[in-house]
Every structure is written in structure tokens, then in C-alpha cells.
Amino acid sequence: APRRRSGRAARGCAAGLGGDTPIEQRAPEIIRILSEAYPDAKVALRFSNPLEMLVATILSAQCTDEKVNEVTATLFVKYRTAEDYLKVPEDELKADIKPTGFFNQKAISIREACRRIVEVYDGRVPDTMEDLITLRGVARKTANIVMGNAFGKVEGIAVDTHVKRLANRLGFSAQSDPDKIEQDLMRVIPRDRWFDFTYVLIDHGRAVCIARKPKCEICPVNHLCPSSLI
């Protein structure tokens, strides 16, 4: 849960900022307040190397991080290298990841990504955006997550369902395409905050700005949000 908004955080109103203020003016205050509310925000997926980060992120599509972590606790003991995912029959891998949902497509993506990792990258997950997005099942969102968490490289902002929802509601972007939303976010969020603020937005999306009925009454940035229900 987010930390409660302090009197200092509420000064955005006193400063004349509101939900109808241009995002370029509201963004710094939104970033500050939400960062204070979620000081420990970080990726929830458990991993110990780049391959595990890649596989966990692919499995996380349409699945909770908690379920993914539950599955990978045993999966990562059985599959330690990219070659391991290619050695077993495809049906066996499907059975191993079935609890994460959409396991047929995920199994194909994991195996084909690992095949390219073995054949083109000597068994090692590549560490650049250009190379990562050539892997099956990897778009910019997944590449950003892998690069930032596994390699400490930040080239953009990972736009998952939570980030997309909050970007639209807070007025950071009016786009629906994740790549266009990312570009809008990168224009108003300082580069040195791209990585950590991604997880601040995700945590806020899970705890307060939920999809069906956002909890605007407890949101620390409701006074800066054009979508606020209060």
C-alpha cells in the first residue's frame, strides 16, 4: 500500500497545479509524490540471471507475478541454460508452465527465443534492445525489463498494462499503442527516472489506480489527475 500523502505532498494544489494543468508542469510533482509513496518499488519477478529474467517476463503475460514466481521456483531448477529448454519435448515444457496460462504460445516463444540465443548469441541472452527484440516473444516492454533488471541498461520505459492505464489516466499520454505511450513518457519523465519510476507506476496501478474502479479517494495524486473521480 502507498504511504499516505503528507502535507508537503499536498502542496501541489497550493502551487496552482491541477488535473487540467499541462502534463509538463504536473509531471515533476506526480513523479515526486508517487516515488515517496512507493520508495521500495522494484520488479516483482524473481530471477538470478538474464535467461531467468527473460523467461519470467515472457511467462508474466496475462498472468500475475505471484503465479509466475510460484512456477519458476521449480522451473529454474530444471531449466538452467537456453539449451535445456530445447532438449525437452515441447509438450513437457508446456506442462511445466501451464499454470501461467496461454502456455502453448508461451512455450513456443520460450523455445524459439532460446533457439536463437543458442544459434546466434552463443547461448547468452543479448544485452541490447536491437538484439533482444529479434527474439520470439520479445517486444520493447520485455526488452526494457530484461535490460534494466538483468544488465542495468536503460533505454526506455517498460509499458505493461498498469503503466499503460496510468499513463492514460494521469494524462502522460493519450495513445493506446505501447510504443507510442513509451515515447510520450520518455519526453516528460527524466531519463534517470525511467527505470525506477516504471515500477512506481506498476505498484500504484496494483494498489490504488486499479483497472475496474480506481481508489481515487486515497490516491496521493488525485489533485493532479484529470481522471480523478473526486
Side-chain angles (χ1 to χ4, degrees), residues 18-219:
D20 57 351
T21 304
I23 187 58
E24 290 78 11
Q25 297 177 41
R26 289 185 292 116
E29 191 71 353
I30 291 172
I31 294 169
R32 182 185 69 77
I33 294 172
L34 289 182
S35 296
E36 288 182 357
Y38 304 93
D40 303 317
K42 62 181 180 180
V43 68
L45 297 171
R46 298 193 188 115
F47 71 102
S48 63
N49 58 56
L51 180 62
E52 291 183 358
M53 181 79 269
L54 173 63
V55 171
T57 306
I58 291 174
L59 293 177
S60 70
Q62 302 297 312
C63 183
T64 66
D65 290 343
E66 291 78 11
K67 177 58 68 174
V68 172
N69 288 335
E70 180 183 313
V71 170
T72 58
T74 54
L75 190 76
F76 291 161
V77 174
K78 180 176 180 179
Y79 302 87
R80 296 182 178 276
T81 67
E83 290 91 341
D84 289 341
Y85 288 96
L86 302 176
K87 290 176 182 176
V88 303
E90 188 172 301
D91 285 344
E92 184 174 343
L93 176 58
K94 288 179 180 179
D96 289 337
I97 66 173
K98 187 174 181 178
T100 68
F102 300 94
F103 56 92
N104 288 319
Q105 187 57 49
K106 290 178 182 179
I108 294 172
S109 292
I110 291 171
R111 281 169 61 85
E112 291 307 309
C114 285
R115 193 182 311 282
R116 182 169 176 80
I117 288 170
V118 170
E119 295 176 352
V120 180
Y121 302 108
D122 298 320
R124 294 186 293 272
V125 176
D127 62 355
T128 68
M129 178 65 69
E130 292 75 17
D131 290 333
L132 279 167
I133 60 176
T134 68
L135 303 179
R136 178 72 173 262
V138 178
R140 281 192 61 92
K141 182 203 80 171
T142 297
N144 276 319
I145 292 172
V146 173
M147 287 181 61
N149 288 285
F151 298 109
K153 294 184 175 183
V154 181
E155 290 191 14
I157 295 171
V159 180
D160 75 344
T161 55
H162 298 293
V163 174
K164 177 180 178 180
R165 182 171 68 255
L166 268 68
N168 289 158
R169 285 180 176 172
L170 288 168
F172 280 99
S173 176
Q175 302 292 331
S176 58
D177 177 77
D179 289 349
K180 293 180 180 179
I181 291 173
E182 181 186 10
Q183 293 302 314
D184 286 343
L185 289 171
M186 289 163 66
R187 276 193 286 271
V188 294
I189 297 173
R191 187 184 179 95
D192 64 353
R193 300 302 312 279
W194 287 356
F195 178 71
D196 66 291
F197 195 63
T198 296
Y199 297 102
V200 168
L201 289 174
I202 290 173
D203 279 3
H204 190 57
R206 286 176 174 154
V208 177
C209 197
I210 56 180
R212 290 189 177 182
K213 188 178 180 182
K215 303 174 184 178
C216 297
E217 68 279 3
I218 64 169
C219 178

